Amino acid sequence: MKPTLFVLAAGMGSRYGGLKQLDGLGPNGETIMDYSVYDALRAGFGKIVFVIREDFADDFKRVVLSKYEDKVACEICFQSIDKVPSWFTPNPERKKPWGTNHAVLMGKDVIHEPFAVINADDFYGKESFEVLAGFLRSVEGKENEYCMAGYRVGNTLSENGSVNRGVCQTDDNGYLTDVVEATNIEEIVGSITYKNEQGQDVVLDPNTPVSMNMWGFTPEYFKYSEEAFDIFLKEHGQELKSEIYIPTVVNDLIVSGKVTCKVLDTPSKWFGVTYAQDRPAVVMRLNELIHKGVYPEKLF
């Protein structure tokens, strides 16, 4: 059975206003998500599942799904504030979604095979999908063996400002032991630095692995996610802006000894439109990849 690609796209409407996130960056109006789907298909993924908000389902089907449906099996699931256990009543003033791991939980009824999780608005690169697909094929029928694409921090920076990244700590065998959120990472005079909790600059080796929210799981992760969400709601459910994130859940599972998470090195260069000024550079990079023959001029 081929692995499934699970695309987190529920933030589209709120962050970008309508479907502006589907900004055409390729020569024929291709979006960053189009490149991810294209890379996933040639790496051997067999199904694409999107988690979106129900209020833009019609637009999403018209603008997005229409491109892929005749090329790969596609499904949609919905994330909303009211998708909570029956015992819990959300704060009526809450407007914010419950976070990335809640978004993952929305796929539990439609995904029954090893699956990858990505953001809709990040460019991950051909090699990353290849290493992820290879790992997911190797864990079919197994449990509790997860992975994440470990991007080299030097390949994930913006020229237009600092970025935040999850800096990964691994053991001697390349398994994740911890993810530390590092803020204000930028390259200054040839050195990549971030500020620690004391406000001091810490230098990072350019090859330090960081998380770009590209994960690989087997289906029992949904059961763990339900358990984690229950605990989260009991502790933080009445807060208006608290969220449950994938690295938090994975970290807790690793610390408790329930799972392992292999950090897969990828040479791919991540890029995305973190700042409005990033857009021209993204367009230029995509054109360079097309000229090198990595992508055809027209994807679909």
Side-chain angles (χ1 to χ4, degrees):
M1 183 178 287
K2 293 181 176 182
T4 286
L5 180 68
F6 194 13
V7 183
L8 306 186
M12 277 184 175
S14 57
R15 279 182 296 174
Y16 293 86
L19 289 180
K20 286 183 186 172
Q21 187 175 16
L22 296 174
D23 189 8
L25 299 167
N28 292 284
E30 290 88 354
T31 66
I32 285 179
M33 190 161 62
D34 289 334
Y35 286 93
S36 289
V37 171
Y38 183 86
D39 282 336
L41 293 182
R42 62 177 170 174
F45 285 82
K47 182 171 75 176
I48 316 290
V49 177
F50 301 91
V51 57
I52 64 171
R53 293 210 332 267
E54 200 160 358
D55 59 355
F56 61 79
D58 290 342
D59 282 348
F60 191 88
K61 289 173 184 173
R62 176 177 51 82
V63 176
V64 180
L65 282 197
S66 59
K67 285 188 237 183
Y68 313 137
E69 279 183 315
D70 62 341
K71 299 182 175 61
V72 62
C74 294
E75 296 204 44
I76 289 177
C77 51
F78 300 113
Q79 182 184 23
S80 60
I81 293 170
D82 61 0
K83 296 279 184 76
V84 292
S86 57
W87 58 264
F88 179 77
T89 303
N91 187 321
E93 294 180 25
R94 185 177 179 105
K95 301 283 190 290
K96 198 172 183 63
W98 295 110
T100 53
N101 208 79
H102 179 255
V104 170
L105 192 48
M106 299 302 97
K108 69 183 176 67
D109 293 329
V110 294
I111 298 175
H112 310 287
E113 56 283 318
F115 64 100
V117 175
I118 66 167
N119 294 334
D121 53 344
D122 287 320
F123 179 91
Y124 289 103
K126 172 176 177 277
E127 300 93 346
S128 301
F129 286 95
E130 289 170 351
V131 296
L132 209 62
F135 181 92
L136 291 173
R137 283 192 288 269
S138 77
V139 295
E140 187 179 346
K142 299 179 183 178
E143 291 189 345
N144 304 324
E145 295 181 34
Y146 304 155
C147 71
M148 58 157 279
Y151 282 75
R152 302 166 191 172
V153 66
N155 286 340
T156 74
L157 304 179
S158 167
E159 295 174 0
N160 297 301
S162 64
V163 296
N164 300 341
R165 299 285 179 253
V167 176
C168 301
Q169 297 173 359
T170 59
D171 64 17
D172 292 341
N173 296 312
Y175 286 95
L176 187 68
T177 57
D178 197 13
V179 179
V180 178
E181 189 65 23
T183 59
N184 299 306
I185 302 174
E186 54 189 333
E187 187 168 352
I188 302 172
V189 199
S191 289
I192 298 171
T193 65
Y194 75 94
K195 293 207 181 302
N196 65 14
E197 291 178 353
Q198 290 73 43
Q200 300 163 318
D201 284 336
V202 179
V203 176
L204 284 173
D205 183 288
N207 291 319
T208 301
V210 297
S211 167
M212 299 306 303
N213 221 35
M214 189 182 206
W215 301 88
F217 299 115
T218 40
E220 78 287 345
Y221 185 72
F222 294 120
K223 173 176 67 78
Y224 292 137
S225 294
E226 285 182 313
E227 294 166 357
F229 191 47
D230 277 359
I231 294 168
F232 166 83
L233 290 176
K234 286 168 185 167
E235 295 178 352
H236 304 287
Q238 293 306 316
E239 299 168 15
L240 294 181
K241 294 188 175 180
S242 56
E243 296 183 58
I244 183 168
Y245 300 111
I246 297 167
T248 308
V249 176
V250 173
N251 255 346
D252 289 346
L253 291 169
I254 290 170
V255 170
S256 67
K258 291 178 180 174
V259 309
T260 60
C261 184
K262 184 81 170 177
V263 178
L264 306 174
D265 177 56
T266 172
S268 291
K269 287 197 171 185
W270 168 94
F271 51 87
V273 186
T274 306
Y275 300 94
Q277 308 96 289
D278 289 334
R279 191 185 187 282
V282 171
V283 172
M284 184 181 73
R285 285 191 189 178
L286 289 173
N287 278 321
E288 286 172 358
L289 290 168
I290 290 164
H291 288 311
K292 287 179 182 174
V294 178
Y295 298 102
E297 191 158 319
K298 187 170 176 58
L299 289 181
F300 296 106

